[in-house]
């Protein structure tokens, strides 16, 4: 059996070093079970596919992991000195009499394991602290300067005045400004969509700006689709 987990203080900054929890500044992730390298979150799907096809290894509820790179870094370290059966549930496939495919054994890593559950909780708490710190810095940032997405009025210092202006003057409502974070990136994405003449709600593309503007007005598309995961990272509620 594996020894006690390395999560004594529930604080990654004090109890887990960079060898066991990859920092965001590191561009690559290493496979848990071999030396294959992948470039950050943008190749997460390829990373997970590799685990399944090459190692028959499955990570449950990946979308609920707050910091995937640090999660992988932690388990990379733990699996260096222990077999996967110390931490994972073995699942046999094609065991029925009528099953045609070959019998295979997969390994599932999930929060049924107390250590994995604790790790996920710590990562979520750590991420929430980081998000709230970023939000506070944005509120105190006096260098903010941005033009409205729908007119030429320019706003300084307070981001909330820009979002309130777009709501009252252009009927574009993204929710309460106090619930937003990473607002510069958020506004960049919205601006890029409009530059491509793309509706912010249905993401349909139009031939010119007047046609796009009329579409968004008539269809009441001056809003964001709640089911669009692109915007999840910009709302603090998604980190709670």
């Amino acid at each position: 059996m594996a020894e006690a987990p390395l999560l004594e203080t529930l604080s990654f900054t004090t109890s887990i070093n960079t060898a066991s929890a990859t920092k965001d500044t590191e561009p690559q992730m290493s496979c848990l079970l071999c030396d294959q390298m992948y470039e950050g979150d943008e190749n997460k799907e390829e990373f997970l596919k590799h685990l399944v096809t090459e190692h028959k290894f499955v990570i449950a509820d990946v979308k609920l992991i707050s910091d995937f790179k640090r999660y992988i870094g932690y388990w990379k370290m733990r699996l260096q000195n222990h077999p996967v059966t110390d931490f994972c549930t073995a699942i046999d496939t094609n065991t029925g009499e009528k099953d045609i495919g070959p019998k295979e054994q997969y390994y599932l890593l999930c929060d049924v394991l107390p250590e994995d559950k604790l790790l996920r909780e710590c990562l979520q708490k750590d991420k929430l602290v980081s998000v709230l710190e970023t939000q506070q810095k944005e509120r105190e940032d006096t260098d903010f300067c941005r033009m409205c997405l729908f007119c030429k009025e320019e706003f300084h210092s307070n981001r909330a005045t820009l979002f309130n202006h777009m709501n009252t003057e252009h009927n574009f409502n993204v929710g309460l400004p106090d619930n937003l974070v990473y607002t510069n990136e958020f506004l960049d994405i919205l601006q890029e969509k409009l530059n491509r003449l793309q509706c912010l709600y249905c993401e349909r593309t139009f031939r010119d700006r007047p046609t796009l503007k009329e579409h968004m007005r008539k269809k009441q598309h001056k809003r964001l689709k709640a089911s669009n995961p692109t915007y999840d990272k910009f709302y603090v509620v998604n980190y709670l």
Side-chain angles (χ1 to χ4, degrees):
M1 292 293 291
E3 71 272 16
L6 310 179
L7 293 168
E8 300 137 354
T9 64
L10 303 189
S11 173
F12 289 106
T13 56
T14 57
S15 63
I16 295 183
N17 59 28
T18 53
S20 60
T22 307
K23 299 301 182 184
D24 289 339
T25 54
E26 296 182 29
Q28 293 184 317
M29 291 186 298
S30 174
C31 172
L32 292 170
L33 301 168
C34 71
D35 295 326
Q36 181 71 37
M37 301 297 293
Y38 291 86
E39 292 289 337
D41 285 345
E42 60 268 24
N43 287 317
K44 184 189 294 185
E45 293 303 318
E46 286 298 315
F47 180 90
L48 295 171
K49 181 179 177 181
H50 168 81
L51 285 178
V52 173
T53 57
E54 298 298 326
H55 304 292
K56 303 295 188 291
F57 192 97
V58 179
I59 300 174
D61 298 319
V62 171
K63 291 182 179 180
L64 301 181
I65 300 173
S66 297
D67 192 327
F68 188 68
K69 284 196 291 185
R70 295 184 74 188
Y71 179 87
I72 293 301
Y74 178 85
W75 282 117
K76 173 79 173 180
M77 180 206 65
R78 294 291 279 151
L79 291 167
Q80 284 178 349
N81 301 311
H82 300 282
V84 295
T85 50
D86 278 2
F87 306 110
C88 299
T89 301
I91 300 175
D92 295 321
T93 64
N94 297 318
T95 57
E97 293 182 1
K98 297 182 179 180
D99 291 337
I100 300 175
K103 292 183 180 180
E104 295 181 304
Q105 189 169 72
Y106 287 80
Y107 299 97
L108 176 66
L109 179 62
C110 65
D111 61 3
V112 170
L113 178 73
E115 182 176 350
D116 187 81
K117 181 179 181 181
L118 188 57
L119 174 61
R120 291 171 186 244
E121 290 173 351
C122 286
L123 287 171
Q124 183 174 352
K125 291 177 183 177
D126 207 39
K127 185 67 174 179
L128 177 59
V129 169
S130 176
V131 165
L132 293 176
E133 288 176 350
T134 298
Q135 186 186 52
Q136 187 60 34
K137 288 179 182 178
E138 290 180 348
R139 288 175 177 174
E140 298 170 354
D141 178 20
T142 57
D143 295 327
F144 176 78
C145 180
R146 195 95 187 200
M147 188 177 290
C148 173
L149 296 173
F150 304 102
C151 70
K152 294 183 179 181
E153 188 168 349
E154 198 170 78
F155 294 84
H156 300 267
S157 298
N158 193 337
R159 290 162 169 77
T161 57
L162 169 57
F163 287 107
N164 289 333
H165 163 83
M166 291 193 293
N167 182 21
T168 57
E169 298 299 324
H170 304 288
N171 295 316
F172 181 67
N173 185 7
V174 296
L176 294 175
D178 283 346
N179 292 334
L180 297 173
V181 69
Y182 307 123
T183 49
N184 282 333
E185 183 183 352
F186 182 43
L187 289 167
D188 284 343
I189 290 175
L190 299 179
Q191 186 65 67
E192 288 172 8
K193 287 180 181 291
L194 291 175
N195 290 344
R196 295 195 301 265
L197 303 176
Q198 192 172 25
C199 174
L200 297 178
Y201 181 81
C202 68
E203 300 191 333
R204 179 182 168 190
T205 301
F206 294 84
R207 66 177 181 272
D208 53 44
R209 195 171 183 88
T211 307
L212 168 62
K213 184 178 179 180
E214 184 66 9
H215 161 82
M216 293 179 69
R217 184 188 67 81
K218 281 188 174 181
K219 296 292 186 179
Q220 297 185 344
H221 280 187
K222 280 196 172 183
R223 55 197 174 100
L224 303 180
K225 185 176 289 187
S227 60
N228 189 336
T230 301
Y231 307 114
D232 288 352
K233 70 173 289 185
F234 305 114
Y235 289 87
V236 175
V237 67
N238 292 318
Y239 298 95
L240 300 178

